Amino acid sequence: MTTASRLRDPSIEHRFVASDGAALHVSQSGPADSAVTLLLVHGWTQDHRTWDFVLPHLDPGVRVLRYDLRGHGGSAHARPGSATIARLADDLAELIADRVPAGPLVLAGHSMGGMTLMVLAERHPELVASRLAGAAFVATSSGDMDKLTLGFPGLVGRGVTRFEPRVARLLARLRSDTLRLRPAMVRSGARRLVFGDRPGRAQVDSVVEQLLCAHPASAGLFLDAIASHRGIGGLGALCDVPSVVLAGERDRLCPLAHAKVIADELPHAEFVRYPGAGHMLPQERPYEVARRISALVRVAARR
């Protein structure tokens, strides 16, 4: 099959097969000959639709790639041993090599997606040095996720820290393809846990729909991977890359203090705090997120 026919075949355009055989769903928008390519990486239990509210505010002249991490959305389940941030970073490197073999890149990662960018920099420093022209870390963390309290103080917070590994083990044992939960119950929990002040119904529904599409066992295994994530080493390789760190002041999952650690490791990064916002910045502050990412794309285009 020729390169031209590959690009015309939608079944290939929306499917990328990683080196271990896992098929990942890919979505592309914008012109293929754009000077800069923007890759958007979603977080835990979400998929490429995380960026649906951001996309309309981006420059239509920029090529944008979104994809579903393994175990999420339309991608294959995470096989035993592959539910790691390192494997996600390798998937991203392989996707770049296949779909964007040349030209400057801007990467934006939300939550576990941001962790993936950090590990990418650590595992593939040559890619960062030669291609990366901008990085956006959106509501994410470089470590200490095993100490998460969800914002609760004292005994309750310590209980949350002990309870999370049990949730991970429970999910990892599930054999169903999707979480069999009532959407109304999930909607109520999501509104309280991952959003800040006054989230819109459409934004909450988007998060719930994505969560209910995630593979339960993969989600449980990735929850363990998040707990053990340490991204400081990768941040060191990003010191000279134009970057922005975006954080919601009411984020319970990746608290403001975690964002501050990232910003401190990236001395040239812009650190932006959003009062009243929670963890789901791509839904809660889509225009602002798009504006900051677009600024990185403009800088990359001038390099």
Side-chain angles (χ1 to χ4, degrees), residues 53-303:
F53 295 93
V54 173
L55 201 63
H57 302 292
L58 295 172
D59 182 349
V62 174
R63 182 190 184 198
V64 180
L65 288 181
R66 302 181 288 164
Y67 68 104
D68 296 345
L69 302 175
R70 58 177 64 212
H72 297 74
S75 291
H77 301 167
R79 298 174 181 176
S82 74
T84 66
I85 310 297
R87 181 63 248 189
L88 296 183
D90 291 346
D91 287 346
L92 178 54
E94 292 172 10
L95 177 64
I96 290 170
D98 183 78
R99 298 296 173 90
V100 201
L105 302 167
V106 172
L107 304 180
H110 173 248
S111 194
M112 188 169 72
M115 300 175 193
T116 300
L117 303 192
M118 298 173 205
V119 179
L120 175 78
E122 188 168 21
R123 292 175 66 84
H124 302 275
E126 72 292 341
L127 174 62
V128 169
S130 63
R131 303 283 308 283
L132 191 58
F137 297 95
V138 184
T140 188
S141 173
S142 62
D144 286 337
M145 293 296 287
D146 53 338
K147 301 173 183 176
L148 195 65
T149 67
L150 300 182
F152 293 106
L155 185 62
V156 176
R158 290 193 293 274
V160 169
T161 301
R162 290 194 295 269
F163 183 65
E164 186 175 294
R166 299 179 187 178
V167 173
R169 288 194 295 270
L170 174 64
L171 289 172
R173 288 196 295 266
L174 293 179
R175 294 294 172 260
S176 60
D177 285 338
T178 58
L179 285 169
R180 296 172 182 172
L181 299 173
R182 293 174 58 188
M185 180 182 70
V186 180
R187 187 178 299 112
S188 176
R191 184 183 293 273
R192 290 174 170 80
L193 182 61
V194 300
F195 284 94
D197 297 337
R198 299 184 297 279
R201 175 64 181 260
Q203 285 73 23
V204 176
D205 285 349
S206 172
V207 168
V208 171
E209 288 167 9
Q210 292 172 64
L211 186 151
L212 293 176
C213 287
H215 181 235
S218 299
L221 294 169
F222 276 120
L223 190 57
D224 267 343
I226 289 170
S228 60
H229 168 66
R230 299 293 182 268
I232 292 294
L235 290 173
L238 293 165
C239 283
D240 296 326
V241 176
S243 303
V244 63
V245 180
L246 310 181
E249 291 189 352
R250 296 195 60 187
D251 191 337
R252 291 175 176 268
L253 298 189
C254 294
L256 190 64
H258 289 218
K260 183 65 165 56
V261 170
I262 298 171
D264 287 345
E265 291 292 322
L266 301 173
H268 304 298
E270 183 180 15
F271 182 31
V272 186
R273 302 164 50 155
Y274 295 100
H279 185 62
M280 305 309 298
L281 287 179
Q283 284 87 0
E284 295 179 78
R285 301 290 189 273
Y287 172 74
E288 282 295 318
V289 171
R291 187 164 73 90
R292 301 293 177 176
I293 293 174
S294 295
L296 292 174
V297 171
R298 287 193 296 272
V299 169
R302 294 196 294 266
R303 291 182 64 174

